[in-house]
Amino acid sequence: QGRFTLLRDTRTDGSFLVHHFLSFYLRAGCKVCFVALLQSFSHYSIVAQKLGVSLAAAKERGQLVFLEGLKSCLDLLFGEEEQPGQPSPLGFLSGSSSDLRALFDFVRLSLTPADGDSWKGPVLLVDDLSVLLSLGASPVAVLDFIHYCRVSVCYQLKGNIVVLVHSNEDSEDEENELIVNSLCHHSNLILWAEGLATGFCKDVHGQIKIIKRLSLQQAGEQDVVQIYQYKIQDRNVAFFARGLSAAVL
């Protein structure tokens, strides 16, 4: 409880981590607010079905609150009328506001326990944060949004936050790297998926660096770093130590 997990990917697609956490928390009986800015609901639903979870059923029983960012963007850009009293969570696109307060309010209201709720704990899942910068949000607004979400979800509601962000150390996108570096400093756990420096391999799809931020919990402690390689399969992901893949053995 109260943990902030950062999913970071470089030279590869780390979305398999998002699908894992989504299905994991739904199976665990947690209330999940999923801010999906990258793909449609049907995409996540098809992958979740392979993992044995029905997103449609989770939405119907009130366990999953799903914000389909692609649809919300189209509605705003092409002038679809908002429902009275329900401003769009992505209202900053219309120029009415430069901050992400509406998005934070959406998250807070979605995860605030209602009378009779029996969910184990609230979870905020974001895929992926870099899209907000592409849509025109400033780095300060994005960091403010995450800060207020941490205060509300992690500290007040004793829940968890999982955020995916893309990064490229050679990129000239200074704003995105500012976001990545700032989130790394505030994360309890970092799962960093990287593409292989040697290029494509059918038996090894990449490597994942697991960084446990012990220094965040206690001054003077060293962070624990573990590195594994992985291969994405149809219904799961196989992890193994470096040099122990089928391509080597």
Side-chain angles (χ1 to χ4, degrees), residues 99-111:
D99 57 38
L100 300 175
R101 183 174 301 178
L103 184 58
F104 167 70
D105 288 339
F106 171 82
V107 171
R108 181 175 54 82
L109 292 173
S110 299
L111 294 178

Side-chain angles (χ1 to χ4, degrees), residues 168-177:
N168 188 348
E169 293 165 327
D170 301 327
S171 172
E172 296 181 358
D173 189 348
E174 296 179 358
E175 292 186 344
N176 190 71
E177 294 310 301

Side-chain angles (χ1 to χ4, degrees), residues 220-236:
E221 289 287 335
Q222 291 289 325
D223 293 343
V224 176
V225 180
Q226 298 170 295
I227 299 178
Y228 298 95
Q229 292 180 334
Y230 64 87
K231 179 181 180 181
I232 300 175
Q233 298 168 341
D234 189 39
R235 296 178 184 273
N236 57 14

Side-chain angles (χ1 to χ4, degrees), residues 161-243:
I161 297 178
V162 180
V163 171
L164 173 70
V165 63
H166 294 296
S167 71
N168 188 348
E169 293 165 327
D170 301 327
S171 172
E172 296 181 358
D173 189 348
E174 296 179 358
E175 292 186 344
N176 190 71
E177 294 310 301
L178 172 66
I179 295 289
V180 173
N181 292 332
S182 178
L183 293 181
C184 284
H185 284 299
H186 293 95
S187 303
N188 300 101
L189 176 68
I190 302 172
L191 302 180
W192 187 354
E194 299 176 281
L196 296 176
T198 52
F200 174 78
C201 174
K202 67 174 183 177
D203 292 305
V204 184
H205 291 158
Q207 76 171 18
I208 185 165
K209 188 182 295 182
I210 304 170
I211 306 173
K212 298 177 182 177
R213 299 290 317 287
L214 300 183
S215 59
L216 194 66
Q217 303 168 11
Q218 188 173 353
E221 289 287 335
Q222 291 289 325
D223 293 343
V224 176
V225 180
Q226 298 170 295
I227 299 178
Y228 298 95
Q229 292 180 334
Y230 64 87
K231 179 181 180 181
I232 300 175
Q233 298 168 341
D234 189 39
R235 296 178 184 273
N236 57 14
V237 181
F239 294 92
F240 38 83
R242 289 183 290 182

Side-chain angles (χ1 to χ4, degrees), residues 109-123:
L109 292 173
S110 299
L111 294 178
T112 299
D115 294 336
D117 274 357
S118 58
W119 308 119
K120 290 185 178 179
V123 175

